Amino acid sequence: MFGDLFEEDYSSVSNNQYGKGKKLKTKTLEPPAPREFTNLSGIRNQGGTCYLNSLLQTLHFTPEFREALFSLGPEELGSFEDKDKPDAKVRIIPLQLQRLFAQLLLLDQEAASTADLTDSFGWSSNEEMRQHDVQELNRILFSALETSLVGTSGHDLINRLYHGTIINQIVCKECKNISEKQEDFLDLTVAVKNVSGLEDALWNMYVEEEVFDYDNLYHCGTCDRLVKAAKSAKLRKLPPFLTISLLRFNFDFVKCERYKETSCYTFPLRINLKPFCEQSELDDLEYIYDLFSVIIHKGGCYGGHYHVYIKDVDHLGNWQFQEEKSKPDVNLKDLQDEGEIDDPLMILKAILLQENNLITVDQLGQKLLKKTGVSWNKKYRKQHGPLRKFLQLHSQIFLLSSDESTVSLLKNCSLQAESGFLKNDQQIFKTLTSESLGLNDNTSCPHWFDINDSKVQPIKEKDIEQQFQGKESAYMLFYRKSRLQRPPEAQANPRYGVPCHLLNEMDAANIELKTKRAECDSANNNFELHLHLGPQYRFFNGALHPVASQTESVWELTFDKRKTLGDLRQSIFQLLEFWEGDMVLSIAKLVPAGLHIYQTLEGDELTLCEIEIADEEDIFVWNGVEVGGVQIQTGIDCEPVLLNVLHLDTSSEGEKCQQVIESPHVFPSNAEVGTVLTALTIPAGVVFINSAECAGEESWTAIPREDMKKTFREQGLRNGSSVLIQDSNNDDNSLLTKQGKWTSINEINWLQVKNLCQLESEEKQVKVSATGNTVVFDIRITAIKELKLMKELAENSCLRPIDRNGKLLCPVPDCYTLKEAELKMGSSLGLCLGKAPTSSQLFLFFAMGNDVQPGTEMEIIVEETVSVRECLKIMLEKSGLPGGTWHLRKMDWCYEAGEPLYEEDATLKELMISSGDTLLLMEGKLPPLGFLKVPIWWYQPQGPSGHWESHQDQTNCIPSQGSVWRAASTQGAPGNVPAEGSVLYVGDIEISEDAVLADLKSQAMTLPPFLESGVPSPAFLRAWTVESKRPGRLLRSNRQPLKEYKLGRRTEICLEPLQKEENLGPQDVLLRTQMRIPGERAYAPAVDLVWDAARGCTAGSLRQRVAHFYSLPVEKIEIAKYFPEKFEWLPISSWNQQITKRKKKKKQDNLQTAPYYLKDGDTIGVKNLLVDDDDDFSTIRDDTGKEKQQQLALGKKKSREALHVQSSDVFSSAETPGRPRGQEASLSIHVGSFR
């Protein structure tokens, strides 16, 4: 649903020259981290797949769904080993879901990966980085599963667990006749706006009746007249699992933007659906549902993040968390005040309890330093020895791992035993359902977890109430029937219901993970050091810089961090055979000014961990005194600071110019501020610093003369700070205003009202002063007076906002304040004739056709109780359109025609039509329900390409003048068009969704233009969908029902004539091949090529097929795919192998994925290297097309710039959004055919 939601900000990454060219650390790929204390696994986010992760976790924690999927064995679904075999039906999506659920249950890793699952969806890396709507995904994933499970015992899995029905009834008040219509649902969509909660919304939907009376009567078929009636809906069949989608996103047609409804919306933990059901005689337990999952959306309508609250029905997780008695942290300072910090045993116990009882020994030392302010070596080493040795000596309390890298408290060291030193301020761990730290066995208390991608945290049931409202609030609710009981053997048993082959696979994977973690733990003791060699550096401009290249000045050293500083010094001596004299090792850091030395390393007997040398540390190797003959100051006090100094430019004659120049200067942090004047050779002057708190603002403050002796650090100046210098001898040419700012901007506190009443007036527009609480009526009356218009306008006028494109929006009611009307200061309003609509009326825009130009819409005001049929009649009368062959569609937020308004007897209020909505008048009557109205096109590829041709003259295939055929415009310049042909509109047909493709072809052949084509039978026609006026998806099977193709109500079909019947297999790919003409930038006419991709959709396989088709050696051809929308050819080589970041291993190229995305109907250019050795595949037409695209892009750029200039005034700038929104992309999952 949403576009790019996670745009990372890399602006803060340093661009220092010393960072460039640095050797990347080659490190063993670490295995996944083990599960945390909850014993549950999360799912890694691939970039924008948090919505997918939340839904998958919900399905995983639906045991009935999970076990039903596990019950399908390889004999029904196939196996991964057979997926590349020809004629093997492998249902890859259910198999990947089975494996993912098994990993979530059994694999000891912090988070599972969905990479293989999304690959089975047919998603590219771009799709994985783009976020969509989880409600949309829920429907699409269920549809993909239903298609994948056709012909198996699980064909009714989704229907059995999630399918319910709704019955809509209209009861005649006269004869009591009941008209019924049944609807199926997999999820219920409920309103959020103006509703207090879920039960209130369900009451409005399934209890409240709508009465037809007075001017809105119902035509009863039995009475055969207009009568009073009541319309209602009830739940007829309840599924075992009820999914509820909350409509939190709406569209504001006044502001022309979407917004998220963040008001309070309550929902119960247990709900009784009996009042909303048609049948109420069943047992009460049949209507009781318990909440078990809440998918939460955090953010706004243009971006955000999903996570999920889930109830662990089977108690698979370890539901424990910290319970605070008083303070959240152990107060180690209290121990220090009491003199107890001298006991290291007490301190280490407290830290381990505070850090979840398991950390590395290195982290333990760092936590000790952080908590107490003193390191182990300085405080305890002399008395107690090294830290590891101390932990070994107290093995009755501490448990070290086999490699002595991690430490924890022994389990028998209970929390109560530590109360002597933690006193009453300690923080204790308490398992809410068990005293042990193991698995909980108390089933009376519900176990809820917050699963946020990789992270899993326990929560309390009361925490769900926090998701009732706000920017982070519930978006989807999942309920299960309370009578659904789990078997006792499933409790706390993750292996329950998992097939044997998956159990064996997970057991083997756990053994492999354990081995890899042991290897990685050993390898992680090595770290990288960057040795900066003193003789290769020189000191200038306040810092150290390499004399020659970076590679000669910096050496990379891999070293064991468990060794001592003396070992490191000895290794460097051996490495640098040329070194003479003393060797001093110092910690250095790269700062914007260059390299600076901070601390000299001492204590050759200490390990590198104990002296806290970090990985990737910069070590400066020198004699400890000077570099290149210059004595070096070290330490943080003299750290170089890079400042931006602004001052007036001096001309060659010594005169001051009014041009301000900015130059970088480096000063020691402990230098006096006055040295900046010396550096610029200014004898006397004033120094200003920017004191603005916000970035982008400027507020300069002069430093008093007595503060010029203070250091740069004392003045708060740091790297990147700006300093403004003004010569005292030129006070007249001051760079600043008296307020210390470059400019002064007055606050906007007015609105502009334009006279659009078409009445004579001295003024065209006026500015009216206002505040956020000013009433719109007062602004309108003030504007009428200042525009000197007639007083009568006060009774017959209204104010309408004007958007940045000059369009008049919906009138604003007089009773609103500016804040309530969401009008911003500086906005433009139009004073127009006519009253604003009342609370029971709707102000609607309407236009004819789909291609609506801005400003061409017409306007009407109608009652909200008007039916769609009556609204259509009013619009037709106002627009002067005759006839009854029209219907209405609602314009969607993309300004395109949405779904038709099928229920012509429904009121606008029922269909949730709001003021400001735009309705489109579309020509043509709507087909009956269950039927499709399909536009039919004729597709004839250019030239002979193996297709059927009439024995008549070719002109017979071209419509004569006055014919109903309509040619679609083709993109690009005329000339040699690769594999393209004319697409001609033939007419429309109405056909049932249950009809098969052969029926559609037969019915299309009855259209008048087809009667002249001479096609023998439907078997000689190939069907495609139409996309962008060219063939899109190939419809293969003539016996497949149309509804299984999921064509939708806007799909158009083009039919292509064939010379003979064809029967394409599921793995066959139909390509248009064209041989390049030697010596010319042109191609021969296209020829159809059927390629069997069952043995692998690789470049080598395709090259062999093309070479065999043209009877050429495979090494003597080159092929390329044509991208007509870009006018580009992409060569296809059988030697290109790509390395995916995700799998870190080579894999054979798949032409159906990036970058080729090969599909039916694609054009393949073929070059015979025996006669043509030119590398170029392009044609003259491609050059012309690219040139036109460049001109078009340049024109659009100029238009945007012109629009930006026009909208730069204060009125439109107030309305301009912060950043442009990208076009939204649809979500789809590709599934093979298993019928």
Side-chain angles (χ1 to χ4, degrees):
M1 175 178 179
F2 303 122
D4 300 329
L5 301 173
F6 303 104
E7 297 177 356
E8 301 290 345
D9 182 11
Y10 297 102
S11 59
S12 60
V13 178
S14 173
N15 197 25
N16 190 286
Q17 59 174 325
Y18 298 105
K20 299 177 182 178
K22 184 175 287 188
K23 186 184 77 175
L24 293 176
K25 181 177 179 181
T26 56
K27 188 175 181 181
T28 307
L29 185 64
E30 292 191 9
R35 299 190 181 206
E36 295 185 347
F37 68 96
T38 60
N39 200 34
L40 294 178
S41 175
I43 301 177
R44 285 193 291 277
N45 194 325
Q46 297 188 54
T49 57
C50 56
Y51 69 104
L52 172 66
N53 296 350
S54 300
L55 181 60
L56 290 175
Q57 289 283 17
T58 299
L59 296 177
H60 167 241
F61 280 95
T62 308
E64 291 79 3
F65 176 87
R66 183 181 69 226
E67 290 162 10
L69 196 62
F70 280 150
S71 67
L72 303 173
E75 63 280 358
E76 291 189 276
L77 301 182
S79 63
F80 291 108
E81 294 77 13
D82 298 334
K83 65 179 181 179
D84 295 326
K85 293 182 180 179
D87 303 327
K89 285 191 175 183
V90 179
R91 305 167 194 266
I92 193 70
I93 293 179
L95 285 173
Q96 292 292 3
L97 270 178
Q98 282 186 344
R99 176 176 285 179
L100 176 64
F101 288 166
Q103 291 173 349
L104 292 174
L105 287 170
L106 300 170
L107 199 57
D108 183 21
Q109 58 180 1
E110 180 186 30
S113 171
T114 56
D116 292 335
L117 179 64
T118 54
D119 282 349
S120 71
F121 290 169
W123 289 1
S124 64
S125 57
N126 290 336
E127 192 67 47
E128 292 154 1
M129 293 297 294
R130 181 184 294 119
Q131 193 184 91
H132 290 281
D133 181 28
V134 69
Q135 298 175 2
E136 178 187 15
L137 173 69
N138 184 57
R139 300 183 183 107
I140 291 175
L141 180 58
F142 279 4
S143 175
L145 276 174
E146 282 186 314
T147 304
S148 298
L149 297 177
V150 168
T152 70
S153 59
H155 67 278
D156 61 341
L157 170 63
I158 303 300
N159 189 71
R160 188 172 71 248
L161 296 181
Y162 297 95
H163 175 262
T165 57
I166 300 171
I167 186 68
N168 294 292
Q169 295 181 340
I170 298 180
V171 181
C172 174
K173 297 289 187 180
E174 301 291 336
C175 65
K176 306 302 179 183
N177 178 59
I178 299 176
S179 175
E180 291 188 349
K181 176 185 176 184
Q182 182 171 296
E183 295 180 21
D184 299 327
F185 71 86
L186 294 178
D187 64 302
L188 295 178
T189 301
V190 298
V192 173
K193 187 177 181 181
N194 299 327
V195 182
S196 62
L198 175 61
E199 291 168 307
D200 188 17
L202 293 175
W203 186 273
N204 293 339
M205 294 169 64
Y206 302 118
V207 176
E208 294 285 351
E209 288 187 344
E210 180 190 356
V211 178
F212 297 103
D213 54 8
Y214 302 112
D215 295 335
N216 185 30
L217 296 175
Y218 167 73
H219 184 271
C220 176
T222 305
C223 302
D224 196 20
R225 59 188 176 88
L226 294 175
V227 296
K228 293 182 179 182
K231 182 180 180 182
S232 63
K234 289 287 185 182
L235 296 172
R236 170 167 284 182
K237 175 197 169 189
L238 292 175
F241 297 92
L242 182 64
T243 304
I244 297 177
S245 302
L246 307 184
L247 285 174
R248 284 209 177 266
F249 296 108
N250 290 304
F251 189 81
D252 188 331
F253 281 88
V254 176
K255 299 171 69 176
C256 287
E257 64 183 21
R258 288 182 296 173
Y259 69 94
K260 181 178 179 181
E261 186 65 50
T262 58
S263 58
C264 182
Y265 190 88
T266 62
F267 47 88
L269 296 172
R270 170 168 284 191
I271 188 170
N272 185 355
L273 297 179
K274 191 171 184 177
F276 317 117
C277 292
E278 180 187 29
Q279 301 174 358
S280 57
E281 64 275 4
L282 300 177
D283 184 14
D284 286 349
L285 286 178
E286 293 291 332
Y287 305 101
I288 304 297
Y289 281 74
D290 292 327
L291 183 71
F292 76 96
S293 176
V294 182
I295 293 183
I296 299 154
H297 182 263
K298 178 181 180 180
C301 57
Y302 291 109
H305 178 69
Y306 289 97
H307 63 109
V308 61
Y309 285 179
I310 284 185
K311 182 179 178 181
D312 184 10
V313 178
D314 283 345
H315 290 199
L316 301 176
N318 188 18
W319 190 62
Q320 65 173 32
F321 46 93
Q322 297 165 333
E323 183 177 286
E324 302 173 358
K325 284 194 173 181
S326 56
K327 297 181 181 179
D329 292 324
V330 179
N331 196 343
L332 294 176
K333 292 187 178 180
D334 290 346
L335 300 177
Q336 188 174 2
D337 295 340
E338 299 173 12
E340 297 177 356
I341 196 169
D342 290 330
D343 185 2
L345 191 64
M346 193 176 301
I347 302 299
L348 295 178
K349 284 181 181 179
I351 293 174
L352 285 171
L353 284 172
Q354 193 173 322
E355 297 297 326
N356 289 336
N357 200 24
L358 177 63
I359 58 174
T360 65
V361 178
D362 296 338
Q363 289 175 334
L364 181 61
Q366 295 171 4
K367 297 290 181 183
L368 177 69
L369 175 62
K370 182 178 179 182
K371 295 290 184 183
T372 65
V374 61
S375 68
W376 176 272
N377 293 324
K378 289 184 179 180
K379 183 69 178 177
Y380 306 108
R381 183 181 174 86
K382 288 183 180 180
Q383 182 179 355
H384 301 283
L387 178 58
R388 279 188 175 81
K389 184 177 179 180
F390 179 83
L391 297 173
Q392 290 171 348
L393 291 175
H394 294 83
S395 58
Q396 73 278 9
I397 298 176
F398 304 108
L399 176 63
L400 277 168
S401 62
S402 58
D403 59 357
E404 299 183 354
S405 62
T406 59
V407 61
S408 63
L409 283 175
L410 287 174
K411 290 187 177 180
N412 58 8
C413 184
S414 65
L415 303 180
Q416 289 76 8
E418 312 305 326
S419 61
F421 68 87
L422 287 178
K423 304 204 180 293
N424 292 330
D425 287 332
Q426 66 178 333
Q427 180 185 43
I428 65 172
F429 286 99
K430 181 180 179 184
T431 304
L432 296 184
T433 59
S434 176
E435 292 183 0
S436 70
L437 294 179
L439 212 56
N440 302 297
D441 56 3
N442 188 344
T443 59
S444 62
C445 188
H447 296 184
W448 282 86
F449 292 90
D450 177 11
I451 305 182
N452 191 344
D453 289 336
S454 300
K455 297 299 179 184
V456 183
Q457 295 292 334
I459 60 171
K460 298 179 181 179
E461 202 169 48
K462 64 181 181 181
D463 294 335
I464 299 174
E465 298 177 5
Q466 300 173 7
Q467 307 304 331
F468 284 168
Q469 61 186 344
K471 288 192 173 180
E472 183 177 7
S473 49
Y475 190 56
M476 284 188 79
L477 308 175
F478 297 84
Y479 286 87
R480 54 182 290 129
K481 278 192 176 182
S482 61
R483 68 174 181 81
L484 293 175
Q485 298 297 323
R486 300 290 296 146
E489 57 270 22
Q491 291 293 306
N493 181 12
R495 301 176 73 88
Y496 179 78
V498 182
C500 292
H501 70 281
L502 286 176
L503 287 174
N504 297 334
E505 182 182 340
M506 294 303 112
D507 291 342
N510 279 325
I511 294 173
E512 184 181 357
L513 274 177
K514 188 175 180 180
T515 305
K516 286 184 177 180
R517 286 187 183 123
E519 295 173 353
C520 186
D521 189 55
S522 175
N524 283 344
N525 284 315
N526 291 337
F527 62 7
E528 301 287 341
L529 298 176
H530 308 301
L531 304 180
H532 299 261
L533 309 183
Q536 302 293 333
Y537 275 79
R538 62 189 176 118
F539 184 85
F540 74 98
N541 199 16
L544 293 164
H545 298 268
V547 174
S549 65
Q550 178 79 5
T551 55
E552 294 178 10
S553 305
V554 182
W555 289 28
E556 308 294 338
L557 177 64
T558 302
F559 202 74
D560 190 341
K561 60 186 176 182
R562 293 171 291 187
K563 292 187 177 181
T564 65
L565 179 61
D567 296 333
L568 174 62
R569 196 186 311 274
Q570 186 63 31
S571 298
I572 297 176
F573 261 122
Q574 296 174 0
L575 190 64
L576 306 178
E577 298 176 355
F578 59 86
W579 194 270
E580 296 180 359
D582 294 335
M583 175 184 287
V584 176
L585 303 180
S586 301
I587 299 293
K589 288 184 180 178
L590 291 166
V591 295
L595 187 71
H596 181 67
I597 301 172
Y598 286 86
Q599 173 192 356
T600 298
L601 299 176
E602 298 176 347
D604 281 7
E605 75 283 1
L606 303 178
T607 66
L608 299 187
C609 292
E610 291 169 338
I611 59 178
E612 298 174 358
I613 292 182
D615 192 15
E616 301 281 351
E617 194 81 82
D618 290 289
I619 306 294
F620 195 73
V621 185
W622 63 317
N623 58 14
V625 180
E626 50 84 23
V627 174
V630 180
Q631 191 169 353
I632 304 299
Q633 291 183 318
T634 64
I636 194 170
D637 291 337
C638 57
E639 181 182 70
V641 178
L642 181 63
L643 302 178
N644 296 321
V645 181
L646 292 84
H647 58 94
L648 284 174
D649 191 13
T650 305
S651 64
S652 58
E653 291 79 11
E655 297 180 355
K656 302 280 181 172
C657 304
Q658 283 301 315
Q659 180 181 2
V660 178
I661 63 171
E662 181 178 358
S663 58
H665 289 268
V666 179
F667 302 94
S669 297
N670 57 359
E672 295 179 359
V673 175
T675 57
V676 71
L677 299 176
T678 306
L680 295 176
T681 65
I682 297 177
V686 182
V687 180
F688 295 85
I689 60 174
N690 189 2
S691 58
E693 296 181 357
C694 301
E697 294 184 3
E698 290 183 343
S699 179
W700 298 92
T701 303
I703 299 178
R705 191 172 299 276
E706 60 271 14
D707 289 346
M708 296 291 282
K709 294 290 185 180
K710 289 186 177 181
T711 65
F712 289 100
R713 188 183 300 277
E714 290 172 338
Q715 287 290 352
L717 295 172
R718 53 188 182 272
N719 287 308
S721 296
S722 295
V723 175
L724 180 65
I725 308 300
Q726 186 164 312
D727 195 336
S728 299
N729 299 325
N730 289 275
D731 290 338
D732 295 337
N733 296 330
S734 175
L735 300 174
L736 302 172
T737 64
K738 292 182 179 181
Q739 292 82 11
K741 298 182 179 180
W742 295 100
T743 57
S744 177
I745 302 175
N746 295 321
E747 185 180 358
I748 300 173
N749 58 356
W750 45 263
L751 295 170
Q752 181 169 271
V753 180
K754 298 182 179 180
N755 178 17
L756 302 179
C757 294
Q758 300 176 352
L759 298 175
E760 293 293 333
S761 172
E762 296 180 4
E763 303 289 339
K764 296 295 183 183
Q765 57 189 28
V766 293
K767 291 182 179 178
V768 179
S769 299
T771 66
N773 295 322
T774 305
V775 180
V776 173
F777 175 78
D778 297 337
I779 295 176
R780 185 165 64 87
I781 297 302
T782 304
I784 291 174
K785 291 178 180 178
E786 295 188 9
L787 288 170
K788 299 178 182 179
L789 296 172
M790 297 182 297
K791 294 182 179 179
E792 289 78 5
L793 279 178
E795 300 297 328
N796 189 32
S797 63
C798 62
L799 290 179
R800 297 177 61 178
I802 304 173
D803 68 6
R804 57 180 177 175
N805 297 320
K807 179 183 176 181
L808 284 171
L809 304 180
C810 182
V812 183
D814 281 344
C815 58
Y816 279 22
T817 64
L818 296 187
K819 188 181 295 183
E820 292 171 340
E822 298 181 354
L823 292 174
K824 297 179 181 178
M825 292 300 171
S827 301
S828 293
L829 300 174
L831 182 65
C832 305
L833 292 174
K835 294 182 179 180
T838 65
S839 59
S840 64
Q841 292 180 324
L842 299 177
F843 182 92
L844 302 176
F845 297 98
F846 71 97
M848 185 178 68
N850 195 16
D851 189 16
V852 180
Q853 299 299 324
T856 60
E857 303 96 332
M858 291 176 277
E859 305 161 356
I860 59 168
I861 296 178
V862 294
E863 296 292 331
E864 61 183 2
T865 56
V866 164
S867 67
V868 173
R869 192 188 311 277
E870 293 168 340
C871 182
L872 173 62
K873 184 178 179 181
I874 295 171
M875 291 179 177
L876 288 173
E877 290 176 354
K878 186 162 184 178
S879 57
L881 295 173
T885 58
W886 296 86
H887 66 275
L888 286 178
R889 292 177 184 254
K890 187 176 178 181
M891 181 183 285
D892 60 18
W893 66 273
C894 292
Y895 299 98
E896 297 177 352
E899 288 296 318
L901 302 182
Y902 281 102
E903 300 182 51
E904 294 187 335
D905 293 326
T907 64
L908 299 181
K909 183 179 180 180
E910 288 176 340
L911 299 179
M912 292 185 288
I913 305 295
S914 307
S915 282
D917 285 356
T918 301
L919 300 181
L920 299 178
L921 285 167
M922 306 297 290
E923 192 170 4
K925 293 191 68 174
L926 290 174
L929 288 177
F931 279 75
L932 296 172
K933 186 174 183 179
V934 183
I936 301 296
W937 298 72
W938 173 274
Y939 174 63
Q940 179 71 59
Q942 290 192 349
S945 56
H947 297 78
W948 176 90
E949 294 181 8
S950 174
H951 293 290
Q952 305 171 19
D953 189 81
Q954 286 295 322
T955 56
N956 291 342
C957 293
I958 302 175
S960 59
Q961 189 174 3
S963 172
V964 297
W965 292 34
R966 184 172 70 248
S969 60
T970 58
Q971 186 182 7
N976 193 318
V977 182
E980 291 188 10
S982 56
V983 182
L984 304 171
Y985 174 72
V986 177
D988 295 340
I989 63 172
E990 282 189 11
I991 190 168
S992 170
E993 292 179 333
D994 296 323
V996 297
L997 182 61
D999 298 333
L1000 182 143
K1001 294 179 181 179
S1002 299
Q1003 193 168 338
M1005 290 180 64
T1006 62
L1007 295 172
F1010 270 96
L1011 300 176
E1012 302 175 3
S1013 65
V1015 178
S1017 69
F1020 287 81
L1021 290 174
R1022 182 186 291 156
W1024 305 79
T1025 61
V1026 178
E1027 299 173 8
S1028 302
K1029 303 303 182 185
R1030 56 166 58 99
R1033 177 164 60 107
L1034 177 62
L1035 308 181
R1036 296 173 180 271
S1037 174
N1038 280 332
R1039 306 313 306 168
Q1040 188 167 351
L1042 297 179
K1043 63 181 179 182
E1044 293 183 6
Y1045 283 114
K1046 301 192 183 336
L1047 298 177
R1049 296 192 174 274
R1050 304 187 204 176
T1051 303
E1052 302 178 0
I1053 302 294
C1054 70
L1055 299 176
E1056 174 186 355
L1058 301 174
Q1059 268 193 330
K1060 59 181 181 180
E1061 299 182 22
E1062 70 176 6
N1063 184 20
L1064 296 177
Q1067 298 293 329
D1068 289 342
V1069 181
L1070 177 68
L1071 302 173
R1072 318 278 195 190
T1073 60
Q1074 291 185 279
M1075 178 64 73
R1076 189 173 176 87
I1077 302 174
E1080 299 181 23
R1081 296 185 64 196
Y1083 289 86
V1087 180
D1088 284 352
L1089 170 69
V1090 177
W1091 170 41
D1092 183 5
R1095 297 181 180 177
C1097 192
T1098 63
S1101 173
L1102 177 59
R1103 286 170 57 86
Q1104 290 180 353
R1105 178 69 181 96
V1106 173
H1108 180 267
F1109 184 78
Y1110 284 100
S1111 302
L1112 291 171
V1114 68
E1115 68 275 6
K1116 294 300 180 182
I1117 65 166
E1118 287 293 339
I1119 59 176
K1121 180 192 168 179
Y1122 185 59
F1123 291 86
E1125 66 279 359
K1126 299 180 181 178
F1127 299 97
E1128 291 180 354
W1129 297 82
L1130 182 59
I1132 300 175
S1133 171
S1134 58
W1135 294 278
N1136 61 340
Q1137 288 185 328
Q1138 50 191 340
I1139 301 177
T1140 64
K1141 294 181 180 179
R1142 192 168 56 234
K1143 299 181 180 177
K1144 300 291 182 184
K1145 64 180 182 179
K1146 290 185 178 180
K1147 67 174 186 177
Q1148 271 197 315
D1149 53 330
N1150 187 339
L1151 297 184
Q1152 292 180 331
T1153 60
Y1156 300 104
Y1157 301 107
L1158 201 65
K1159 62 183 186 303
D1160 292 308
D1162 281 348
T1163 299
I1164 301 295
V1166 184
K1167 190 181 298 182
N1168 184 355
L1169 299 182
L1170 296 173
V1171 293
D1172 186 1
D1173 56 356
D1174 186 11
D1175 294 335
D1176 185 25
F1177 273 91
S1178 64
T1179 65
I1180 298 175
R1181 176 183 180 273
D1182 296 331
D1183 296 340
T1184 307
K1186 283 185 178 181
E1187 185 179 349
K1188 285 191 174 183
Q1189 284 186 339
Q1190 291 173 356
Q1191 293 174 356
L1192 183 61
L1194 184 61
K1196 289 182 178 179
K1197 181 180 179 182
K1198 290 181 178 179
S1199 299
R1200 286 195 301 267
E1201 291 174 351
L1203 180 62
H1204 179 71
V1205 171
Q1206 293 173 5
S1207 61
S1208 61
D1209 59 272
V1210 69
F1211 309 113
S1212 56
S1213 64
E1215 300 293 331
T1216 305
R1219 64 187 178 114
R1221 304 292 176 187
Q1223 183 178 0
E1224 294 190 357
S1226 60
L1227 178 66
S1228 62
I1229 296 177
H1230 305 288
V1231 188
S1233 176
F1234 300 103
R1235 296 189 177 275

